Amino acid sequence: MALGTEHGRRGNNAFRILSSPGRRLSEGERNVLSLNVLLLGDRQSGRSSVGNALIGGEAFQTGTCISGLSLTTELQLLRRNFQKYFRRQGAESDLMLRVVDTPPVLPRPQSVHELCPEGVHVLVLVVRADLPHDNTHLEELVESLFGPEWRRHALLVLTHADHLKEAGLRLSVYLTQTSDWLRALAEEVEGGVFLLDNSCDWPSIRGRPLRDRLLRLSARNHHRALTVRTEV
């Protein structure tokens, strides 16, 4: 599983992005499903931790912000290829994840478009389970970037979910007790809610269920991508 920036080399391996499923693969060629994933959330929400879980590493910088400033100050893209990750139409396929971490401010649509010119397949909205402050501007941000269709491509990740376990709260009970804004958001997103336990030190372990959830959500949308609105 090669980890690197988008400009990393692919070596001599032959790849085919899944776009024409009826075509037969030539000898030595293999299927690759490439998904663009955009992480969005408030300051200290755990976006970079979610990114690390997805790629199964510690490449995205995490930690406590200093003087209220986020450690992530600009868009950062990392990719990882998971070989033979799933089967599609009877054939083994690689999963190429291109994960974009964002600062806790409105990213310029043009900047998102430059990193994901073909669009975004999955939106991951990140909120801390132990600090569920109203963040209504998050929905406004997503709507301005992608329009009303974003909900069909979105998944809500609640980080620091170990606090729920310690309190003996099931997700269903937690959602009845949380803010109206977060409860409504959980009901709106097509991908549902995923709990990320930040006490786990093994991103590769906690990341597999999250990657599987993303893959199922993208499949429900036939792996179509949201187009970034560069002009409003």
Side-chain angles (χ1 to χ4, degrees):
M1 294 183 290
L3 172 66
T5 65
E6 177 58 21
H7 301 291
R9 295 176 60 85
R10 291 185 179 180
N12 297 319
N13 295 324
F15 290 79
R16 179 173 74 89
I17 303 301
L18 292 175
S19 57
S20 53
R23 188 178 74 83
R24 287 193 173 189
L25 295 178
S26 60
E27 185 177 355
E29 191 180 20
R30 67 176 187 268
N31 281 325
V32 179
L33 174 65
S34 182
L35 297 181
N36 294 330
V37 181
L38 186 67
L39 308 177
L40 294 170
D42 213 346
R43 182 183 296 110
Q44 289 296 105
S45 60
R47 299 179 313 282
S48 298
S49 294
V50 173
N52 285 332
L54 284 170
I55 63 175
E58 299 290 349
F60 288 111
Q61 186 178 7
T62 61
T64 305
C65 63
I66 302 173
S67 301
L69 299 177
S70 173
L71 292 178
T72 303
T73 58
E74 59 184 4
L75 295 180
Q76 182 182 8
L77 184 152
L78 291 174
R79 65 172 174 82
R80 187 160 195 172
N81 185 57
F82 297 87
Q83 295 184 10
K84 300 180 180 179
Y85 191 84
F86 69 108
R87 296 187 68 83
R88 188 171 190 260
Q89 297 180 338
E92 289 184 328
S93 298
D94 291 4
L95 175 64
M96 172 71 76
L97 284 185
R98 301 176 69 252
V99 181
V100 180
D101 191 10
T102 63
V105 293
L106 175 65
R108 292 193 309 111
Q110 189 60 38
S111 297
V112 178
H113 177 71
E114 289 172 0
L115 289 179
C116 304
E118 63 277 18
V120 174
H121 299 88
V122 179
L123 299 169
V124 178
L125 310 182
V126 185
V127 177
R128 285 186 63 147
D130 58 334
L131 297 173
H133 301 305
D134 285 0
N135 188 9
T136 53
H137 72 274
L138 178 60
E139 294 178 72
E140 297 170 0
L141 157 65
V142 181
E143 188 101 9
S144 67
L145 284 174
F146 301 103
E149 287 296 309
W150 68 267
R151 294 170 178 83
R152 296 179 55 187
H153 296 257
L155 165 69
L156 174 62
V157 174
L158 296 178
T159 58
H160 297 270
D162 39 296
H163 291 276
L164 273 65
K165 187 185 302 182
E166 293 172 1
L169 287 176
R170 298 191 306 274
L171 176 60
S172 58
V173 176
Y174 169 81
L175 290 176
T176 64
Q177 299 177 2
T178 192
S179 65
D180 293 341
W181 166 79
L182 185 57
R183 183 166 54 253
L185 181 61
E187 294 173 353
E188 285 183 14
V189 294
E190 184 71 24
V193 183
F194 186 90
L195 299 178
L196 188 69
D197 185 348
N198 286 66
S199 66
C200 177
D201 294 328
W202 297 95
S204 59
I205 295 176
R206 57 181 172 163
R208 176 76 197 219
L210 181 55
R211 286 191 294 273
D212 290 346
R213 179 76 71 91
L214 261 63
L215 184 59
R216 290 195 297 270
L217 175 59
S218 182
R220 287 206 295 270
N221 291 307
H222 305 288
H223 303 304
R224 290 193 295 264
L226 283 168
T227 302
V228 182
R229 288 179 164 184
T230 55
E231 296 182 5
V232 179

